[in-house]
Amino acid sequence: MDHLRRVRGAGAALLLAALAGAACSRPVAPVVTGPLGNLEQAFLETRALADKIDVARAKGLQTGGFDNWYRESRSRLLSQLAVTDSAGLNAEDRRALRTIREITTTQLTEHPAPAVEDTD
C-alpha cells in the first residue's frame, strides 16, 4: 500500500510540474490566412505575450522569459508593419491594418502597457 501511495504522489508531482511548465511556455498564436495573415499572427503572438506579462505583474510574479519573447515578437511585428502596404488591401483589411498599427503604437510599446490601469 505504501508503494501505491508513493507512485500516486510521484504521478501527482509530475502532473504539477508539467502544468507549471505549460504555464511558462511561449503562447502559440493561431494560424491566420489572408493578405494580412503573417502580420495578424505576429500581432496575436505579441498581444498574448503582453497579456501574460500583465497578468504576471498583476499577481506580483516574475515575468520569466516572457519579456525577452515579447521583445523578439514585437520586433518581428514592427518589421512586418514597416513593409505592409495598404494599397492592395480591401476595406476590411485596411481597417484591420489601421487597428493593428494603432494598438501596436499605443499598447504594445517597448514595455507593454497594462491592459487595466491600477486604481490605487
Side-chain angles (χ1 to χ4, degrees):
M1 190 65 147
D2 245 3
H3 175 70
L4 184 57
R5 284 189 187 139
R6 279 195 303 267
V7 170
R8 283 187 181 161
L14 285 173
L15 177 61
L16 287 173
L19 290 173
C24 294
S25 65
R26 186 177 196 146
V28 178
V31 176
V32 183
T33 59
L36 295 177
N38 290 337
L39 176 66
E40 289 177 349
Q41 194 157 348
F43 173 77
L44 291 172
E45 178 183 288
T46 305
R47 175 81 262 171
L49 286 164
D51 290 344
K52 284 187 174 280
I53 291 168
D54 192 26
V55 168
R57 287 181 179 153
K59 291 181 176 182
L61 302 173
Q62 296 292 319
T63 58
F66 293 136
D67 291 314
N68 291 333
W69 289 341
Y70 171 79
R71 283 191 291 278
E72 292 168 10
S73 182
R74 181 176 178 270
S75 177
R76 284 190 303 276
L77 173 60
L78 291 173
S79 294
Q80 288 183 17
L81 274 171
V83 298
T84 302
D85 183 12
S86 62
L89 300 175
N90 65 32
E92 182 179 359
D93 287 336
R94 282 193 307 274
R95 279 192 304 276
L97 180 58
R98 275 194 306 274
T99 301
I100 290 171
R101 282 190 172 134
E102 179 182 333
I103 291 172
T104 299
T105 58
T106 60
Q107 296 175 21
L108 301 178
T109 58
E110 187 173 341
H111 303 284
V116 178
E117 296 294 329
D118 274 340
T119 56
D120 293 338

